[in-house]
Amino acid sequence: MPLDNDTEETPDTRFENDLGEIMRRTGGTFVADGRGLLTAGALRGRRKVARRCATVLTGGVLTLAALGTAGLYITGGSGDDSASVADATPTRTHSSAPRDGASPTPGPSGGSGPKEDPTSFMRAHADQMIKLLEISLPVLPKGEFSKQRGTSNMGGPGAADASLVYDDSYGASLVSISARRVDPKDPKVRQSLKCPKATTGSVCKVGAFGEKNEQGHVGGGSAGVKVWKSTRISADGFLLQAVEYNAPSPTGTPTRNEPPLSPLQLDELAASVEGAFTKYGVMNAEAFTSPRPVQNSWEVFETLSGLVPAGYASAGLGGGGDEGYVIVRDKQTNTKTFLRVRLGHGTADGGRVVTRDEAGKHAGTVGWTAETVTAKGLRVTVTSYNAEYPHKPPVLSAPPFTKAQLSAIATDEVWQTLK
């Protein structure tokens, strides 16, 4: 027999009582206008609660409790009967932001909150990695991309990567980038930045900022497809790598003497991958809205083209980053030979010029070189070959330009304005 102060429970009052109970249980965590919420919920729910009873009440208070623990909903005006409680904006009164003021760590679902360790979480789609690679490579008038491929990492321990065949009109080459989360203090990880034992035909250097640059051949040795790598570890816990070949695949036939990007450009490519990620392991939108391709060398080989001695004309230009070359044509014989300039860093020595002979990549192909360091510490190395390319058969018995002419090119004041 019911007590005097008991009233018969209806669907409407049950809805109100359930909401009130949820508010009392979670009041210590959230702050909300309980009475306003109750009133709004009752008014907005009266017309719909009857139709929902079969589903809402079957789940019991557990359904409502799930809503309550996910965040209380505060409605606006209470006169709009067409909206439901779930249509309102969820509001939390406590903050889950890190103490250092940074944004909350993204979780696997894309939301915020400390759901993942920021030192191990990573989210990168294959399409994003491919796009990043495309917008980072030098933009050339005749450049083409093909055979784009990528691998996603949406929270796992592996790497996100991308590769494509890059043809700058001087030969198709495979270029790739990759990124994965690591512990930058792990000795095994740090070991990846140390150069292995030197082998024939390979070069390995560690830069001032810890980046490792390798130049060698696929499978080792001193023949076959060339492969150049730039590897670095960021303070935020990323192992980043950029790799290029002088062929469209590691097992393909070389299309050029060297890979398309200079070591400096390859370093820049790895750095662009590093800059595309935030410390929380997600990709930075600014990396795509403001693309910054690795430095091209238009200025370098255009400058060299303007220094070609009289009697010769430019029949082709190329290069990348700190290197440029010109295919020079003898106006009388139409013979084409290769003229190259390489820029680097050095210690000024009063304008002294050093000359030497260089061996080409083909029997009988030789080069003559003149090298100097400008007052600003820019090393200028100019080489003339007796072939159209250093790896092709010779067309002359000796390079067309004398070492005195090459010295004049290397010491020209125009190089002072480049860096």
Side-chain angles (χ1 to χ4, degrees):
M1 182 177 179
L3 300 176
D4 293 341
N5 60 349
D6 281 353
T7 59
E8 182 178 357
E9 187 178 47
T10 66
D12 287 350
T13 57
R14 181 177 302 173
F15 184 80
E16 295 174 14
N17 292 339
D18 288 341
L19 284 177
E21 179 62 18
I22 293 170
M23 290 168 54
R24 285 191 292 272
R25 291 181 179 181
T26 59
T29 305
F30 304 106
V31 177
D33 183 359
R35 183 175 297 278
L37 177 61
L38 184 58
T39 302
L43 290 174
R44 294 170 184 265
R46 286 183 190 280
R47 294 184 180 182
K48 296 182 179 181
V49 72
R51 294 193 300 270
R52 295 181 179 178
C53 279
T55 55
V56 174
L57 296 181
T58 299
V61 181
L62 291 177
T63 302
L64 294 173
L67 291 174
T69 56
L72 294 181
Y73 296 85
I74 301 177
T75 63
S78 60
D80 183 5
D81 292 345
S82 64
S84 67
V85 174
D87 292 329
T89 303
T91 304
R92 288 185 182 272
T93 59
H94 69 283
S95 172
S96 58
R99 293 182 180 180
D100 60 1
S103 302
T105 304
S109 63
S112 61
K115 298 179 181 180
E116 293 285 343
D117 181 356
T119 63
S120 61
F121 179 76
M122 182 176 180
R123 178 180 289 273
H125 196 276
D127 288 343
Q128 292 176 308
M129 296 297 291
I130 293 172
K131 182 64 175 178
L132 176 63
L133 177 56
E134 290 179 339
I135 65 177
S136 297
L137 289 173
V139 180
L140 298 176
K142 298 181 181 180
E144 295 181 355
F145 301 142
S146 63
K147 298 183 180 180
Q148 293 92 330
R149 293 181 175 86
T151 302
S152 303
N153 183 340
M154 307 303 282
D161 58 46
S163 66
L164 55 79
V165 175
Y166 175 57
D167 190 346
D168 58 357
S169 77
Y170 295 101
S173 307
L174 182 65
V175 182
S176 67
I177 56 173
S178 66
R180 68 182 177 92
R181 295 310 296 262
V182 296
D183 179 359
K185 298 180 181 179
D186 187 337
K188 294 182 179 179
V189 174
R190 303 302 304 180
Q191 186 68 27
S192 64
L193 291 184
K194 294 183 179 180
C195 287
K197 185 178 180 180
T199 59
T200 303
S202 67
V203 177
C204 180
K205 298 179 181 179
V206 177
F209 299 100
E211 69 279 6
K212 183 175 73 172
N213 299 289
E214 299 173 274
Q215 299 180 34
H217 293 80
V218 174
S222 58
V225 176
K226 291 183 179 180
V227 54
W228 292 0
K229 300 178 182 179
S230 177
T231 307
R232 62 178 57 206
I233 298 174
S234 73
D236 291 333
F238 284 95
L239 177 63
L240 309 131
Q241 192 171 66
V243 184
E244 61 175 340
Y245 301 82
N246 64 335
S249 73
T251 57
T253 302
T255 60
R256 56 200 297 156
N257 187 44
E258 295 181 341
L261 305 180
S262 69
L264 176 62
Q265 283 184 302
L266 201 61
D267 277 347
E268 287 189 60
L269 181 57
S272 69
V273 181
E274 177 182 353
F277 285 90
T278 71
K279 65 179 180 180
Y280 298 112
V282 296
M283 301 200 79
N284 188 346
E286 293 182 0
F288 300 95
T289 57
S290 301
R292 296 179 180 178
V294 295
Q295 179 186 358
N296 201 354
S297 65
W298 287 110
E299 187 177 11
V300 176
F301 54 67
E302 285 182 347
T303 300
L304 179 62
S305 178
L307 298 176
V308 172
Y312 293 84
S314 172
L317 306 172
D322 53 2
E323 179 179 321
Y325 67 85
V326 177
I327 303 299
V328 293
R329 178 179 60 84
D330 189 317
K331 293 181 179 180
Q332 292 184 347
T333 65
N334 285 326
T335 302
K336 296 179 181 179
T337 55
F338 190 84
L339 178 65
R340 181 183 64 205
V341 62
R342 285 177 171 169
L343 305 180
H345 298 285
T347 301
D349 55 4
R352 186 170 66 95
V353 179
V354 176
T355 60
R356 60 179 179 269
D357 295 343
E358 303 280 352
K361 301 296 182 179
H362 193 284
T365 299
V366 296
W368 290 345
T369 293
E371 181 178 274
T372 188
V373 179
T374 70
K376 293 184 177 180
L378 177 66
R379 185 184 302 276
V380 182
T381 306
V382 183
T383 305
S384 174
Y385 287 90
N386 62 336
E388 185 174 354
Y389 287 96
H391 64 287
K392 288 190 173 183
V395 295
L396 298 172
S397 59
F401 304 129
T402 66
K403 292 181 179 178
Q405 288 176 305
L406 298 175
S407 297
I409 295 175
T411 56
D412 195 285
E413 293 183 357
V414 70
W415 300 113
Q416 299 276 2
T417 64
L418 293 186
K419 295 205 174 190

